[in-house]
Amino acid sequence: MAAIAARWSSPARLHPLTRRRLRFSASFSSAMAVPASAGFGWADALRVAGDVGRGDESDLSGYFRKVQICNRGMCANLIPYGITAFKNGTGLLMDGGERCWWRFVEHLRDFHDVFTIVSGNNGSNTVENVSLHSSLRTPEDRTHAIGDVIKSLGEMIPGIRNELYPVTSSYGMPSYFSLERAAAPYFGIKAYGVHMNGYVEKDGQKYLWIGKRSDSKQTYPGMLDHLVAGGLPYGISCKENIIKECEEEAGIPRSVSTNAISVGAISYMDIEGFRYKRDVLFCYDLKLPDDFVPNNEDGEVDSFKLIPVAHAANIIQRTDFFKPNCNLVIIDFLFRHGYINPDCHGYLDLLEGLRSGDCS
């Protein structure tokens, strides 16, 4: 199973974002916030975007706040679990330190043929670890069994997409089983995605194409988004996935999207309710022709706007209009294109914060 690196389980590594929060907390009250269901229009976003020069450009507090939003909670009350795999008839517990949020584990107790739950030795009901039942010997067995559990849990896991994602020890490794995309954070499974910033250069200035998500989207309806983004499903490479998403989400032909450049990754860990979300997002940049106009093909984007990079940065600093993880990918773009520089107070802390999760 995928493992949380030891450095993230120690108290010394779990508190840096908390320290940053205290350092910049005085500035956060001025940030404009909107509910998760949006409730703003392009006119609101562009009004904030165009108000450049009002604040101190070296003040990174708004960016720190966005990193913190994607990294809520501490790694306490997390229960280890693993997979019992079989090789040459010998049982081998493959437990690399995967963690499941204890509040969710309580809802797995009735599925005795799928999960083995071990309680404390002192006779208490405290769960010490969870593993998949030893009878589930193949990836297919595990995929079907956990799929049935997810169906049984019903509305406890909202936003079912019927998209299977691979569960691996780390990126590129063999899959132990496949899991419904929406269920990944409930089981503490690390998920991977691809996010692309599409930009244009005009008269020496850079502009970003920004999308506004459809109001019918299951997650973050009506909020601002990258030009292109998507989860990484089983059996497709990152580059092929970004090419596919480019066509579906922005109408970018393969002849153009093949020029997308891989520029690194960001990661985060977030605990909310029953969810323990651990994501790694592979980032891409694509320089687009001046006359290109995106056109959504799959109905997931309401509209697009081309705005100066500095204006997009202003929206991130002062509002919560962007889908939370999109903030991090655009902040990474700001670093790489020189909009955030080493003279800004907290530069290295913020840079480190973009990879607060287990990047493996």
Side-chain angles (χ1 to χ4, degrees):
M1 287 289 259
I4 298 176
R7 65 182 183 277
W8 295 110
S9 62
S10 65
R13 292 297 292 178
L14 291 172
H15 289 286
L17 289 179
T18 303
R19 291 198 296 270
R20 294 171 196 151
R21 183 184 300 117
L22 294 174
R23 183 184 305 170
F24 295 103
S25 59
S27 303
F28 291 163
S29 60
S30 62
M32 297 173 61
V34 295
S37 59
F40 65 89
W42 276 117
D44 303 302
L46 296 178
R47 182 172 59 253
V48 176
D51 194 10
V52 177
R54 192 179 95 169
D56 179 1
E57 292 185 2
S58 67
D59 178 12
L60 304 181
S61 59
Y63 300 134
F64 273 105
R65 179 173 175 270
K66 299 309 185 293
V67 172
Q68 291 162 5
I69 287 172
C70 288
N71 290 277
R72 294 168 299 180
M74 306 297 286
C75 286
N77 296 318
L78 297 176
I79 297 166
Y81 71 93
I83 299 173
T84 302
F86 288 81
K87 183 177 181 180
N88 298 325
T90 302
L92 172 65
L93 181 64
M94 301 179 69
D95 179 10
E98 192 75 5
R99 296 293 184 266
C100 194
W101 185 219
W102 71 274
R103 290 180 60 190
F104 180 68
V105 171
E106 294 303 312
H107 296 278
L108 304 179
R109 288 186 179 277
D110 291 336
F111 301 97
H112 305 292
D113 55 343
V114 181
F115 300 101
T116 299
I117 299 177
V118 178
S119 298
N121 294 326
N122 59 1
S124 69
N125 205 33
T126 302
V127 175
E128 290 193 344
N129 64 74
V130 180
S131 62
L132 291 180
H133 198 279
S134 60
S135 64
L136 303 174
R137 300 191 175 206
T138 69
E140 292 75 20
D141 290 341
R142 300 167 197 143
T143 297
H144 291 310
I146 295 183
D148 288 342
V149 170
I150 292 169
K151 290 178 183 178
S152 297
L153 292 174
E155 295 183 358
M156 182 173 295
I157 300 179
I160 298 296
R161 298 175 174 88
N162 295 315
E163 296 179 24
L164 291 178
Y165 276 37
V167 177
T168 67
S169 59
S170 60
Y171 177 69
M173 297 301 290
S175 173
Y176 297 137
F177 62 94
S178 295
L179 180 73
E180 158 63 38
R181 175 182 178 181
Y186 293 85
F187 288 88
I189 299 300
K190 190 189 306 174
Y192 300 90
V194 292
H195 281 229
M196 190 190 83
N197 287 303
Y199 71 99
V200 170
E201 285 189 290
K202 295 181 180 180
D203 301 322
Q205 185 176 5
K206 291 179 181 176
Y207 297 75
L208 279 172
W209 276 108
I210 301 299
K212 193 171 190 297
R213 295 163 70 86
S214 168
D215 287 334
S216 63
K217 283 282 289 181
Q218 291 178 317
T219 56
Y220 304 101
M223 299 192 76
L224 301 186
D225 207 335
H226 301 297
L227 180 58
V228 170
L232 185 63
Y234 180 73
I236 187 171
S237 69
C238 286
K239 189 59 180 282
E240 280 302 316
N241 198 33
I242 204 70
I243 290 172
K244 176 180 73 70
E245 295 289 351
C246 277
E247 177 65 31
E248 294 174 356
E249 295 195 351
I252 304 173
R254 176 178 284 265
S255 59
V256 175
S257 60
T258 52
N259 296 318
I261 299 173
S262 173
V263 292
I266 63 102
S267 62
Y268 51 89
M269 299 189 298
D270 183 53
I271 295 175
E272 180 190 28
F274 294 118
R275 302 161 69 249
Y276 176 37
K277 191 170 178 61
R278 301 194 298 140
D279 286 354
V280 176
L281 307 181
F282 295 102
C283 303
Y284 286 79
D285 283 355
L286 177 61
K287 185 178 180 181
L288 291 159
D290 292 358
D291 59 353
F292 172 79
V293 177
N295 178 49
N296 181 243
E297 303 285 347
D298 61 8
E300 295 189 355
V301 182
D302 174 75
S303 54
F304 297 96
K305 295 287 185 184
L306 183 66
I307 67 175
V309 174
H311 288 197
N314 210 29
I315 295 174
I316 291 173
Q317 279 270 45
R318 296 178 49 211
T319 79
D320 291 321
F321 289 174
F322 274 98
K323 180 172 174 278
N325 61 3
C326 295
N327 288 312
L328 306 192
V329 180
I330 296 177
I331 292 170
D332 182 67
F333 181 94
L334 299 177
F335 271 105
R336 292 182 290 98
H337 290 261
Y339 292 87
I340 300 175
N341 63 71
D343 293 328
C344 298
H345 181 57
Y347 176 89
L348 291 177
D349 281 344
L350 180 60
L351 186 64
E352 182 184 26
L354 295 178
R355 292 154 190 89
S356 295
D358 174 17
C359 235
S360 67

